[in-house]
Amino acid sequence: MKSVPVYLLPVESNSYEVLIGSNLLQRVGQDLRQQIFGNPGNYVVITDEHVQKKWGSALQQALAGLPLHQIVIAAGEQHKTRATKESIEDQMLQSGIGRDSLIIAFGGGVVSDLAGYVAATYQRGLPYITIPTTLLAAADASIGGKTGVNTNMGKNLIGAFYQPRRVYIDIGFWQTLPKLQLQNGMAETIKHAVIKDLPFFRWLEKHAEDFSAGFTNTNLELWKKLACKNVEIKSGIFQLDEREQSGQRERLNFGHTIAHALEKASNYKLLHGLAVGLGMIVEAEISVKLGIARPKDAERLRALVKNYGLPVRIPHQLKVEDIITHTKHDKKSRHGEARYVLLAKLGQVGQIASDQGFVEDAIVRQVILNNQA
Ligand code: GLY
């Protein structure tokens, strides 16, 4: 027998910059014209119908003169499917989009997950950049390279790790978001504080009222700080474990075993951030029941979630047994059993290894029922 070793060197670094500021569409245009991502033959903007209506012409203007193709998908988590991905790919193939193209994900979490996944697989991979237009996407989906789609069995079950080339977080987009959408993004922000940063948690407690006023002439710096903290905390974690192999990155999933199950049980009527708020409350209380966290910390977390206008009771229409079944289809499951990232104390969660994090159904059931409206 002969063995021929195959040594692969990384051909390019996956590292990238996240730019945070205002009026960044101009900066996107400038970067593309200066060819900092090479000289693509086509720029494929993937966006949804709402973003297109609101911001489509601003992006077109900023990118005027560049060879643009636009693909507009229906808005909403229920459209983050393989069918939508296929339709995007077919449109690209029919337009003759080749490997010398760059994808621009312009929208919220659904757009960035879908566009990133298309980028990961289209003709074996195209570069992409993200321009998140919601607080939720800026806090989470647009950075970190988790791309993918939902299936009938659950959320984000099919996908790829594939990093963008650059992320442009323009907080100007948030200023016209409905209050519900700001609340939706706040849950991931609270999550970052809970898992990693007690001073940031205290800062969020202090400024709940300032943020609930939305955007005012005086609180722009607070919003900017919040945007930066989200990126710093999230990237500080995923750069240690890009592909969720060592358990580090799983910490970002605090609240998410329950959250994804609630979203699925509600047929995605419950928005992701609202589900994450509830998921964190439930998972913190599970941690208390297991003797890992102090009741006082779980109460402080519940109070913060409430003060940011997020619901703290699980809608009664969602059946507890459905929720428990869906938790077992979560990506973190092993041997058919759901796993949880557990709260140790505010600012710190347990890092779960593959053989830990199982919790008896009876405990989960009891905590869900205690928190149901
Ligand atoms: N949303 C969790 C992660 O990016 O790892």
Side-chain angles (χ1 to χ4, degrees):
M1 186 188 82
K2 273 188 184 272
S3 158
V4 180
V6 177
Y7 297 116
L8 294 174
L9 294 174
V11 262
E12 58 191 31
S13 157
N14 279 346
S15 307
Y16 54 96
E17 274 182 303
V18 180
L19 306 187
I20 301 162
S22 304
N23 299 319
L24 288 188
L25 289 185
Q26 297 313 319
R27 173 62 191 259
V28 178
Q30 188 185 318
D31 284 355
L32 299 187
R33 287 194 188 89
Q34 287 178 356
Q35 303 187 350
I36 69 160
F37 311 111
N39 184 18
N42 291 291
Y43 295 90
V44 183
V45 177
I46 301 178
T47 190
D48 75 26
E49 56 199 355
H50 294 158
V51 176
Q52 158 61 16
K53 207 162 145 203
K54 220 158 147 188
W55 303 108
S57 56
L59 183 68
Q60 298 259 346
Q61 250 173 34
L63 306 190
L66 295 167
L68 288 188
H69 286 261
Q70 183 155 273
I71 296 180
V72 182
I73 61 170
E77 189 72 41
Q78 68 277 28
H79 299 292
K80 203 176 92 181
T81 59
R82 284 180 282 201
T84 308
K85 178 173 184 268
E86 188 178 316
S87 142
I88 295 171
E89 290 159 347
D90 286 347
Q91 290 179 62
M92 287 170 64
L93 290 168
Q94 279 152 18
S95 305
I97 302 297
R99 295 190 76 184
D100 62 336
S101 304
L102 179 124
I103 290 182
I104 302 173
F106 185 46
V110 170
V111 164
S112 88
D113 283 8
L114 258 170
Y117 190 27
V118 170
T121 56
Y122 187 84
Q123 300 190 1
R124 301 211 172 90
L126 300 183
Y128 76 113
I129 58 174
T130 57
I131 312 174
T133 55
T134 62
L135 171 57
L136 180 65
D140 190 27
S142 67
I143 51 167
K146 273 193 179 175
T147 71
V149 293
N150 308 326
T151 79
N152 284 339
M153 293 300 283
K155 230 188 135 175
N156 298 338
L157 294 182
I158 306 290
F161 290 100
Y162 194 61
Q163 301 293 343
R165 288 296 179 85
R166 186 165 273 189
V167 181
Y168 299 83
I169 296 182
D170 185 337
I171 66 170
F173 289 122
W174 309 347
Q175 300 189 15
T176 58
L177 282 181
K179 199 165 186 174
L180 183 66
Q181 280 302 332
L182 285 178
Q183 289 162 343
N184 198 26
M186 276 298 180
E188 293 286 358
T189 305
I190 293 172
K191 180 196 79 181
H192 287 145
V194 175
I195 65 175
K196 192 73 180 30
D197 196 327
L198 180 58
F200 184 42
F201 187 93
R202 292 200 190 104
W203 184 82
L204 287 173
E205 285 183 322
K206 184 169 154 212
H207 290 294
E209 221 169 284
D210 297 313
F211 282 117
S212 70
F215 283 81
T216 64
N217 291 337
T218 53
N219 70 5
L220 212 56
E221 287 310 309
L222 292 181
W223 284 104
K224 273 194 194 146
K225 173 165 173 177
L226 179 143
C228 291
K229 284 304 266 182
N230 276 325
V231 176
E232 278 164 19
I233 295 173
K234 178 165 181 179
S235 62
I237 292 175
F238 77 72
Q239 64 198 10
L240 300 173
D241 178 21
E242 185 195 345
R243 291 176 173 251
E244 211 162 283
Q245 285 163 329
S246 69
Q248 293 274 1
R249 188 168 182 160
E250 279 187 331
R251 292 184 293 157
L252 287 164
N253 275 312
F254 174 61
H256 280 60
T257 306
I258 291 293
H260 285 166
L262 295 175
E263 285 179 86
K264 176 77 180 99
S266 75
N267 212 8
Y268 299 107
K269 288 198 183 73
L270 187 62
L271 295 178
H272 179 65
L274 277 57
V276 169
L278 291 165
M280 290 192 292
I281 289 173
V282 169
E283 294 184 16
E285 287 185 13
I286 290 174
S287 312
V288 172
K289 283 235 174 298
L290 295 174
I292 298 167
R294 293 183 311 169
K296 203 169 139 230
D297 284 349
E299 279 155 28
R300 249 173 103 183
L301 168 56
R302 170 193 284 276
L304 190 64
V305 169
K306 190 162 185 229
N307 287 344
Y308 276 86
L310 291 154
V312 292
R313 308 295 295 170
I314 297 170
H316 69 270
Q317 300 89 334
L318 307 187
K319 296 195 180 71
V320 67
E321 294 313 322
D322 283 352
I323 300 169
I324 289 180
T325 303
H326 292 314
T327 61
K328 296 178 197 283
H329 297 144
D330 184 75
K331 285 195 301 317
K332 291 185 298 306
S333 292
R334 300 289 182 271
H335 309 291
E337 291 301 324
R339 283 159 70 242
Y340 292 84
V341 179
L342 298 169
L343 181 71
K345 58 184 180 181
L346 291 176
Q348 192 183 323
V349 286
Q351 182 184 329
I352 53 175
S354 59
D355 58 348
Q356 294 167 344
F358 297 119
V359 180
E360 279 173 34
D361 284 353
I363 295 179
V364 179
R365 185 177 294 111
Q366 193 190 347
V367 174
I368 291 175
L369 289 172
N370 286 348
N371 284 287
Q372 202 146 29

Short mmCIF file of all heavy atoms in Angstrom, two decimals, residues 22-65:
data_model
loop_
_atom_site.label_atom_id
_atom_site.label_comp_id
_atom_site.label_asym_id
_atom_site.label_seq_id
_atom_site.Cartn_x
_atom_site.Cartn_y
_atom_site.Cartn_z
N SER A 22 -22.70 55.06 10.99
CA SER A 22 -23.90 55.57 10.32
C SER A 22 -23.56 55.84 8.85
O SER A 22 -22.38 56.04 8.51
CB SER A 22 -24.36 56.88 10.95
OG SER A 22 -24.56 56.68 12.32
N ASN A 23 -24.57 55.89 8.02
CA ASN A 23 -24.41 56.16 6.57
C ASN A 23 -23.37 55.26 5.91
O ASN A 23 -22.54 55.72 5.13
CB ASN A 23 -24.03 57.63 6.32
CG ASN A 23 -25.09 58.55 6.85
OD1 ASN A 23 -26.29 58.28 6.67
ND2 ASN A 23 -24.69 59.61 7.51
N LEU A 24 -23.41 54.00 6.22
CA LEU A 24 -22.37 53.09 5.73
C LEU A 24 -22.60 52.61 4.30
O LEU A 24 -21.71 52.01 3.70
CB LEU A 24 -22.21 51.89 6.66
CG LEU A 24 -21.56 52.18 8.01
CD1 LEU A 24 -21.29 50.88 8.77
CD2 LEU A 24 -20.24 52.92 7.84
N LEU A 25 -23.79 52.88 3.73
CA LEU A 25 -24.00 52.43 2.34
C LEU A 25 -23.00 53.09 1.42
O LEU A 25 -22.50 52.48 0.47
CB LEU A 25 -25.43 52.71 1.89
CG LEU A 25 -26.52 51.83 2.52
CD1 LEU A 25 -27.89 52.13 1.90
CD2 LEU A 25 -26.19 50.35 2.40
N GLN A 26 -22.71 54.38 1.72
CA GLN A 26 -21.70 55.08 0.90
C GLN A 26 -20.37 54.35 0.99
O GLN A 26 -19.64 54.20 0.01
CB GLN A 26 -21.50 56.52 1.40
CG GLN A 26 -22.74 57.40 1.27
CD GLN A 26 -23.39 57.27 -0.09
OE1 GLN A 26 -22.70 57.22 -1.11
NE2 GLN A 26 -24.72 57.18 -0.12
N ARG A 27 -20.05 53.88 2.22
CA ARG A 27 -18.77 53.19 2.44
C ARG A 27 -18.75 51.86 1.67
O ARG A 27 -17.73 51.48 1.10
CB ARG A 27 -18.61 52.97 3.95
CG ARG A 27 -17.43 52.12 4.33
CD ARG A 27 -16.12 52.78 3.87
NE ARG A 27 -15.02 51.85 4.01
CZ ARG A 27 -14.15 51.85 5.00
NH1 ARG A 27 -14.22 52.76 5.95
NH2 ARG A 27 -13.19 50.96 5.04
N VAL A 28 -19.92 51.18 1.61
CA VAL A 28 -19.98 49.93 0.84
C VAL A 28 -19.63 50.24 -0.62
O VAL A 28 -18.78 49.57 -1.23
CB VAL A 28 -21.38 49.27 0.92
CG1 VAL A 28 -21.42 48.00 0.07
CG2 VAL A 28 -21.77 48.95 2.36
N GLY A 29 -20.27 51.29 -1.17
CA GLY A 29 -20.02 51.68 -2.57
C GLY A 29 -18.55 51.98 -2.79
O GLY A 29 -17.94 51.52 -3.77
N GLN A 30 -17.98 52.73 -1.84
CA GLN A 30 -16.55 53.09 -1.96
C GLN A 30 -15.67 51.83 -1.95
O GLN A 30 -14.79 51.68 -2.79
CB GLN A 30 -16.24 53.98 -0.76
CG GLN A 30 -14.91 54.63 -0.72
CD GLN A 30 -14.76 55.36 0.64
OE1 GLN A 30 -15.70 56.00 1.13
NE2 GLN A 30 -13.60 55.23 1.24
N ASP A 31 -15.96 50.91 -1.01
CA ASP A 31 -15.15 49.67 -0.92
C ASP A 31 -15.24 48.86 -2.21
O ASP A 31 -14.25 48.32 -2.68
CB ASP A 31 -15.62 48.80 0.26
CG ASP A 31 -15.16 49.34 1.60
OD1 ASP A 31 -14.40 50.33 1.62
OD2 ASP A 31 -15.56 48.77 2.64
N LEU A 32 -16.46 48.77 -2.75
CA LEU A 32 -16.62 47.97 -3.97
C LEU A 32 -15.90 48.63 -5.15
O LEU A 32 -15.25 47.97 -5.94
CB LEU A 32 -18.09 47.74 -4.30
CG LEU A 32 -18.92 46.97 -3.24
CD1 LEU A 32 -20.32 46.65 -3.74
CD2 LEU A 32 -18.23 45.69 -2.80
N ARG A 33 -16.03 49.96 -5.23
CA ARG A 33 -15.36 50.65 -6.34
C ARG A 33 -13.85 50.57 -6.22
O ARG A 33 -13.14 50.51 -7.21
CB ARG A 33 -15.81 52.11 -6.40
CG ARG A 33 -17.21 52.23 -6.92
CD ARG A 33 -17.61 53.64 -7.32
NE ARG A 33 -19.04 53.60 -7.59
CZ ARG A 33 -19.99 53.79 -6.67
NH1 ARG A 33 -19.65 54.09 -5.43
NH2 ARG A 33 -21.26 53.69 -6.99
N GLN A 34 -13.39 50.55 -4.96
CA GLN A 34 -11.92 50.41 -4.78
C GLN A 34 -11.47 48.97 -4.90
O GLN A 34 -10.31 48.66 -4.68
CB GLN A 34 -11.51 50.97 -3.41
CG GLN A 34 -11.57 52.48 -3.37
CD GLN A 34 -11.21 53.04 -2.00
OE1 GLN A 34 -10.98 52.30 -1.06
NE2 GLN A 34 -11.18 54.35 -1.90
N GLN A 35 -12.40 48.10 -5.18
CA GLN A 35 -12.13 46.69 -5.46
C GLN A 35 -11.42 46.00 -4.30
O GLN A 35 -10.52 45.19 -4.51
CB GLN A 35 -11.33 46.55 -6.75
CG GLN A 35 -12.06 47.18 -7.92
CD GLN A 35 -11.39 46.91 -9.25
OE1 GLN A 35 -10.29 46.40 -9.34
NE2 GLN A 35 -12.09 47.24 -10.32
N ILE A 36 -11.87 46.32 -3.06
CA ILE A 36 -11.17 45.67 -1.95
C ILE A 36 -11.53 44.19 -1.84
O ILE A 36 -10.87 43.45 -1.14
CB ILE A 36 -11.37 46.40 -0.60
CG1 ILE A 36 -12.79 46.27 -0.12
CG2 ILE A 36 -10.95 47.86 -0.64
CD1 ILE A 36 -12.87 46.55 1.37
N PHE A 37 -12.60 43.79 -2.54
CA PHE A 37 -12.91 42.35 -2.60
C PHE A 37 -12.59 41.80 -3.99
O PHE A 37 -13.22 40.86 -4.47
CB PHE A 37 -14.39 42.09 -2.27
CG PHE A 37 -14.85 42.79 -1.02
CD1 PHE A 37 -15.74 43.86 -1.08
CD2 PHE A 37 -14.35 42.41 0.22
CE1 PHE A 37 -16.14 44.52 0.07
CE2 PHE A 37 -14.75 43.07 1.38
CZ PHE A 37 -15.64 44.13 1.30
N GLY A 38 -11.64 42.38 -4.67
CA GLY A 38 -11.30 41.95 -6.03
C GLY A 38 -12.16 42.72 -7.03
O GLY A 38 -12.71 43.78 -6.71
N ASN A 39 -12.29 42.13 -8.20
CA ASN A 39 -13.01 42.83 -9.26
C ASN A 39 -14.13 41.93 -9.80
O ASN A 39 -14.04 41.43 -10.93
CB ASN A 39 -12.01 43.20 -10.37
CG ASN A 39 -12.67 44.03 -11.46
OD1 ASN A 39 -13.75 44.60 -11.25
ND2 ASN A 39 -12.05 44.07 -12.63
N PRO A 40 -15.18 41.72 -8.99
CA PRO A 40 -16.22 40.77 -9.42
C PRO A 40 -16.94 41.24 -10.69
O PRO A 40 -17.10 42.45 -10.92
CB PRO A 40 -17.21 40.77 -8.24
CG PRO A 40 -16.46 41.35 -7.09
CD PRO A 40 -15.46 42.29 -7.68
N GLY A 41 -17.36 40.25 -11.50
CA GLY A 41 -18.11 40.58 -12.72
C GLY A 41 -19.54 40.95 -12.41
O GLY A 41 -20.20 41.65 -13.18
N ASN A 42 -20.04 40.46 -11.26
CA ASN A 42 -21.43 40.75 -10.86
C ASN A 42 -21.52 40.91 -9.35
O ASN A 42 -20.82 40.21 -8.61
CB ASN A 42 -22.35 39.58 -11.24
CG ASN A 42 -22.51 39.46 -12.73
OD1 ASN A 42 -23.13 40.29 -13.36
ND2 ASN A 42 -21.91 38.41 -13.30
N TYR A 43 -22.43 41.78 -8.93
CA TYR A 43 -22.76 41.91 -7.51
C TYR A 43 -24.21 41.47 -7.37
O TYR A 43 -25.11 42.06 -7.98
CB TYR A 43 -22.61 43.35 -7.04
CG TYR A 43 -21.17 43.83 -7.11
CD1 TYR A 43 -20.69 44.44 -8.26
CD2 TYR A 43 -20.31 43.63 -6.04
CE1 TYR A 43 -19.36 44.85 -8.33
CE2 TYR A 43 -18.98 44.04 -6.11
CZ TYR A 43 -18.52 44.66 -7.26
OH TYR A 43 -17.21 45.06 -7.33
N VAL A 44 -24.44 40.42 -6.59
CA VAL A 44 -25.81 39.90 -6.45
C VAL A 44 -26.35 40.34 -5.10
O VAL A 44 -25.90 39.87 -4.04
CB VAL A 44 -25.83 38.36 -6.55
CG1 VAL A 44 -27.26 37.85 -6.48
CG2 VAL A 44 -25.14 37.90 -7.82
N VAL A 45 -27.30 41.26 -5.12
CA VAL A 45 -27.92 41.72 -3.87
C VAL A 45 -29.07 40.78 -3.56
O VAL A 45 -29.97 40.59 -4.37
CB VAL A 45 -28.47 43.16 -4.04
CG1 VAL A 45 -29.19 43.61 -2.77
CG2 VAL A 45 -27.36 44.12 -4.40
N ILE A 46 -29.02 40.16 -2.38
CA ILE A 46 -30.14 39.33 -1.94
C ILE A 46 -30.80 40.07 -0.78
O ILE A 46 -30.14 40.43 0.21
CB ILE A 46 -29.68 37.91 -1.52
CG1 ILE A 46 -28.99 37.24 -2.72
CG2 ILE A 46 -30.86 37.07 -1.02
CD1 ILE A 46 -28.44 35.85 -2.46
N THR A 47 -32.09 40.32 -0.94
CA THR A 47 -32.80 41.11 0.06
C THR A 47 -34.23 40.59 0.19
O THR A 47 -34.61 39.66 -0.52
CB THR A 47 -32.76 42.61 -0.35
OG1 THR A 47 -33.24 43.39 0.73
CG2 THR A 47 -33.57 42.92 -1.58
N ASP A 48 -35.03 41.17 1.11
CA ASP A 48 -36.43 40.74 1.17
C ASP A 48 -37.34 41.90 0.76
O ASP A 48 -36.90 43.04 0.62
CB ASP A 48 -36.78 40.12 2.53
CG ASP A 48 -36.93 41.14 3.65
OD1 ASP A 48 -37.25 42.32 3.37
OD2 ASP A 48 -36.75 40.76 4.82
N GLU A 49 -38.61 41.56 0.62
CA GLU A 49 -39.54 42.55 0.04
C GLU A 49 -39.66 43.82 0.90
O GLU A 49 -39.79 44.91 0.37
CB GLU A 49 -40.92 41.90 -0.18
CG GLU A 49 -41.48 41.30 1.09
CD GLU A 49 -42.58 40.28 0.87
OE1 GLU A 49 -43.01 40.07 -0.27
OE2 GLU A 49 -43.02 39.68 1.88
N HIS A 50 -39.58 43.65 2.25
CA HIS A 50 -39.72 44.84 3.11
C HIS A 50 -38.50 45.75 2.98
O HIS A 50 -38.63 46.97 2.86
CB HIS A 50 -39.88 44.42 4.58
CG HIS A 50 -41.17 43.70 4.84
ND1 HIS A 50 -41.37 42.88 5.91
CD2 HIS A 50 -42.33 43.68 4.13
CE1 HIS A 50 -42.57 42.38 5.85
NE2 HIS A 50 -43.18 42.85 4.78
N VAL A 51 -37.33 45.13 3.04
CA VAL A 51 -36.09 45.93 2.97
C VAL A 51 -35.98 46.59 1.59
O VAL A 51 -35.60 47.75 1.47
CB VAL A 51 -34.86 45.04 3.27
CG1 VAL A 51 -33.57 45.81 3.10
CG2 VAL A 51 -34.96 44.47 4.68
N GLN A 52 -36.37 45.83 0.59
CA GLN A 52 -36.32 46.37 -0.77
C GLN A 52 -37.17 47.64 -0.89
O GLN A 52 -36.74 48.65 -1.42
CB GLN A 52 -36.79 45.27 -1.75
CG GLN A 52 -37.30 45.73 -3.08
CD GLN A 52 -36.22 46.47 -3.88
OE1 GLN A 52 -35.03 46.39 -3.55
NE2 GLN A 52 -36.64 47.21 -4.89
N LYS A 53 -38.38 47.55 -0.29
CA LYS A 53 -39.30 48.70 -0.38
C LYS A 53 -38.72 49.91 0.35
O LYS A 53 -38.78 51.04 -0.13
CB LYS A 53 -40.63 48.29 0.27
CG LYS A 53 -41.81 49.02 -0.26
CD LYS A 53 -43.07 48.29 0.08
CE LYS A 53 -44.16 49.28 0.37
NZ LYS A 53 -45.21 48.72 1.18
N LYS A 54 -38.14 49.64 1.53
CA LYS A 54 -37.68 50.73 2.37
C LYS A 54 -36.31 51.27 1.97
O LYS A 54 -36.08 52.49 1.97
CB LYS A 54 -37.58 50.19 3.81
CG LYS A 54 -38.04 51.15 4.86
CD LYS A 54 -38.41 50.37 6.10
CE LYS A 54 -38.11 51.15 7.34
NZ LYS A 54 -38.30 50.34 8.54
N TRP A 55 -35.38 50.38 1.66
CA TRP A 55 -33.99 50.80 1.49
C TRP A 55 -33.40 50.43 0.14
O TRP A 55 -32.23 50.73 -0.13
CB TRP A 55 -33.10 50.14 2.57
CG TRP A 55 -33.53 50.42 3.97
CD1 TRP A 55 -34.11 49.54 4.83
CD2 TRP A 55 -33.43 51.65 4.69
NE1 TRP A 55 -34.37 50.14 6.03
CE2 TRP A 55 -33.96 51.44 5.97
CE3 TRP A 55 -32.94 52.92 4.35
CZ2 TRP A 55 -34.02 52.44 6.93
CZ3 TRP A 55 -32.99 53.91 5.30
CH2 TRP A 55 -33.53 53.67 6.57
N GLY A 56 -34.19 49.75 -0.71
CA GLY A 56 -33.66 49.27 -1.97
C GLY A 56 -33.07 50.38 -2.82
O GLY A 56 -31.96 50.26 -3.35
N SER A 57 -33.79 51.53 -2.91
CA SER A 57 -33.27 52.56 -3.82
C SER A 57 -32.03 53.22 -3.23
O SER A 57 -31.12 53.63 -3.97
CB SER A 57 -34.35 53.59 -4.17
OG SER A 57 -34.84 54.12 -3.00
N ALA A 58 -31.94 53.29 -1.88
CA ALA A 58 -30.73 53.87 -1.25
C ALA A 58 -29.51 53.00 -1.60
O ALA A 58 -28.43 53.52 -1.92
CB ALA A 58 -30.90 53.96 0.26
N LEU A 59 -29.69 51.68 -1.57
CA LEU A 59 -28.55 50.81 -1.90
C LEU A 59 -28.20 50.94 -3.39
O LEU A 59 -27.02 51.06 -3.75
CB LEU A 59 -28.88 49.34 -1.56
CG LEU A 59 -27.72 48.37 -1.81
CD1 LEU A 59 -26.57 48.62 -0.82
CD2 LEU A 59 -28.16 46.91 -1.72
N GLN A 60 -29.25 50.97 -4.23
CA GLN A 60 -29.00 51.11 -5.68
C GLN A 60 -28.19 52.37 -5.97
O GLN A 60 -27.26 52.37 -6.77
CB GLN A 60 -30.33 51.23 -6.44
CG GLN A 60 -31.22 50.01 -6.31
CD GLN A 60 -31.15 49.13 -7.54
OE1 GLN A 60 -30.64 49.57 -8.56
NE2 GLN A 60 -31.62 47.90 -7.44
N GLN A 61 -28.59 53.45 -5.28
CA GLN A 61 -27.90 54.74 -5.49
C GLN A 61 -26.43 54.64 -5.07
O GLN A 61 -25.53 55.09 -5.78
CB GLN A 61 -28.56 55.80 -4.64
CG GLN A 61 -29.32 56.81 -5.46
CD GLN A 61 -30.09 57.75 -4.55
OE1 GLN A 61 -29.64 58.08 -3.46
NE2 GLN A 61 -31.25 58.15 -5.00
N ALA A 62 -26.24 54.02 -3.87
CA ALA A 62 -24.86 53.93 -3.34
C ALA A 62 -23.98 53.07 -4.24
O ALA A 62 -22.77 53.27 -4.30
CB ALA A 62 -24.88 53.37 -1.92
N LEU A 63 -24.61 52.13 -4.95
CA LEU A 63 -23.81 51.21 -5.78
C LEU A 63 -23.96 51.51 -7.28
O LEU A 63 -23.61 50.67 -8.11
CB LEU A 63 -24.22 49.76 -5.50
CG LEU A 63 -24.20 49.29 -4.04
CD1 LEU A 63 -24.39 47.78 -3.94
CD2 LEU A 63 -22.88 49.66 -3.35
N ALA A 64 -24.47 52.71 -7.58
CA ALA A 64 -24.74 53.05 -8.99
C ALA A 64 -23.49 52.84 -9.85
O ALA A 64 -22.37 53.14 -9.44
CB ALA A 64 -25.18 54.51 -9.07
N GLY A 65 -23.73 52.29 -11.02
CA GLY A 65 -22.62 52.10 -11.96
C GLY A 65 -21.98 50.72 -11.85
O GLY A 65 -21.25 50.30 -12.75
#
